[in-house]
Amino acid sequence: MNSAVWYSKEGQNSDVVVSSRIRLARNLPDVPFPIRLSKETAQVVVSRIVSAVEKTGELTKYDFQFLDLSKLSRVKRLSLLERHLISPDLIQKSSGTALLSSTDESVSIMVNEEDHLRLQVMQAGFGLQEIYVLADSIDNLLDAKLKFAFDDSLGYLTQCPTNLGTGMRASLMLHLPALKRTGAINNVVKNLIKLGLTMRGMYGEGTEPVGDMYQLSNQVTLGISEKAAVKNLEDISMQLVNQEKTARNELRSSLSVQDEIHRSFGLLSNCRLLGSNEFMSLVSNVRFGVAVNELKNLSFADLNSLMFKVQAASICLEYGEETNGKEQNRIRADIVRKALGGS
Amino acid sequence: MLCQVCGKKNANVHVKQIVNDVKTEMMLCEDCAQNLGVTSAIEEEFNSGFGDLFGSFFPSYVASPYRLDYSVSRCEKCGTSFEDVSSTGKLGCANCYKTFYDELLPYIKRIHGNTKHAGKVALCARACADNCKSKIEELQIKLKRAVENQEFEQAAVFRDEIKKLKDGGNCDE
Ligand SMILES: [Zn+2]
Ligand SMILES: [Zn+2]
């Protein structure tokens, strides 16, 4: 795995904010949306977008890699999904779809998913405003060539009206083990809805959050500017970050919490078989331990990389696409043990 | 039955999944199910917030016999009917928003609590607006001059052109 990828870095408030992400949904004005797109026209959309990217000198520094998703194996596509580069729709339906991604995978463009173009910028830690500025400038460069579908009163026109207006989803992945333990998280989630935000488990609505990871995003895209939406999300998430830090300080002296942290570290550095759900809940405790200084010599960047590296498809990609579940658990245990300096 | 993913082993896991309101069912072997177990959970993350919301905002137009006449009007660019939109929650092309603007507005309002864009303006729209503005100014000067010279036929032409531009006519040339 490339050590220069975006998630192997550490950002602002990395002890609580795992990553920041901005997505912009855009469409060509003169071609049907993907739901109504013929195979041939889908290819035309791919070529137009690829050529716009290639002909924009300012974008050469990203060194975009082009992937025709219909030509990739299922495991390869799943591993892109695990790295948040493509959506699950593109696992089911890959014909006429493509991905362009920068070398560090922080900037990517998904073609013919729900919209003709989905531009995404990701960064480790807290930093929505910075990545919005970047996404905005890339959007302008592409707009100059592609002339995106836009209406004065409805804004950017998208296949689904839930994205109308700015077409922007901003989100933060937050690690909230202390708010989860104290139970305060339930109230937080209820209050966020009133503020036009949603909070889900890392894996989406209705799922039990895995590893105390929560994804906070804006819900409304019409009637609010990008800057206001980003600021709103940042302000509220900073309040959450501070609440989480306060709760951590209260919990860190508890013997049972300390026990849980060290026990989890012990399991991860000694196990021989490790399922992905077990890994996520243990690594959450370890991350918590690093944040409250119970565990030393480990960085958030190390843990972030580890979380990406030991996902099922990523393991298969590296150790053979035929690697079965039990074999994956053995490999996962080996990788984690080594990363934590176990024997 | 064989697993629908690898097609090699016996399928003994039944997986139901709802992606963008479309329910899919699959029979998988244990290994593939475990592979997917991790990722099917991730799949939801992508879908929530995009799309799954919309369908539920529509009343059942399709089922109502009184509303069937809605199906008559179709987007002239892509052939989508309002029935298609209400059953999928998705539009067929950018022009569908023009075609079904009045029907869509109440739902847009319910989704966003708003119907007027307040964010960034696309470059072409901005350029078009600037272009229109300067053309209108130019025509107004010509109109004024024509009126002063009592060239009323010419003046009427300029007046119509100004009206067309102000009504949001095309100015891309
Ligand atoms: Zn199978
Ligand atoms: Zn249409």
Side-chain angles (χ1 to χ4, degrees), chain A residues 140-180:
Chain A
N140 286 340
L141 293 168
L142 293 172
D143 191 17
K145 295 238 160 39
L146 296 166
K147 304 200 183 338
F148 294 135
F150 182 87
D151 178 88
D152 287 334
S153 76
L154 296 177
Y156 289 94
L157 301 176
T158 50
Q159 177 170 280
C160 180
T162 48
N163 304 315
L164 273 179
T166 60
M168 182 190 79
R169 295 278 163 209
S171 52
L172 291 165
M173 190 69 80
L174 304 172
H175 184 223
L176 304 174
L179 291 177
K180 176 75 193 301

Side-chain angles (χ1 to χ4, degrees), chain B residues 3 6 29 32:
Chain B
C3 166
C6 63
C29 71
C32 290

Side-chain angles (χ1 to χ4, degrees), chain A residues 145-303:
Chain A
K145 295 238 160 39
L146 296 166
K147 304 200 183 338
F148 294 135
F150 182 87
D151 178 88
D152 287 334
S153 76
L154 296 177
Y156 289 94
L157 301 176
T158 50
Q159 177 170 280
C160 180
T162 48
N163 304 315
L164 273 179
T166 60
M168 182 190 79
R169 295 278 163 209
S171 52
L172 291 165
M173 190 69 80
L174 304 172
H175 184 223
L176 304 174
L179 291 177
K180 176 75 193 301
R181 275 178 179 74
T182 61
I185 198 77
N186 298 321
N187 273 330
V188 167
V189 173
K190 271 182 225 148
N191 290 326
L192 288 173
I193 297 168
K194 295 175 205 151
L195 299 166
L197 303 181
T198 52
M199 186 144 93
R200 312 183 171 89
M202 180 177 178
Y203 296 147
E205 206 165 359
T207 58
E208 187 65 18
V210 182
D212 307 320
M213 293 289 178
Y214 294 84
Q215 187 192 276
L216 184 66
S217 349
N218 66 314
Q219 189 70 28
V220 170
T221 53
L222 187 65
I224 181 167
S225 73
E226 293 84 353
K227 286 196 179 105
V230 163
K231 178 143 198 321
N232 188 31
L233 186 56
E234 283 204 337
D235 288 350
I236 291 161
S237 62
M238 270 322 288
Q239 288 175 26
L240 270 177
V241 167
N242 291 331
Q243 280 180 43
E244 168 68 21
K245 286 184 178 174
T246 310
R248 283 177 184 182
N249 274 329
E250 283 162 14
L251 289 174
R252 65 185 297 181
S253 53
S254 148
L255 196 57
S256 64
V257 168
Q258 290 171 11
D259 179 62
E260 214 179 333
I261 289 168
H262 289 282
R263 206 174 266 278
S264 300
F265 182 78
L267 277 170
L268 287 182
S269 34
N270 288 287
C271 63
R272 293 300 190 262
L273 287 174
L274 184 59
S276 57
N277 282 340
E278 187 188 8
F279 165 74
M280 280 306 290
S281 60
L282 293 174
V283 83
S284 169
N285 294 337
V286 167
R287 211 179 189 284
F288 184 22
V290 173
V292 296
N293 233 357
E294 269 305 310
L295 295 172
K296 294 169 182 86
N297 306 322
L298 265 177
S299 73
F300 298 114
D302 294 339
L303 293 173

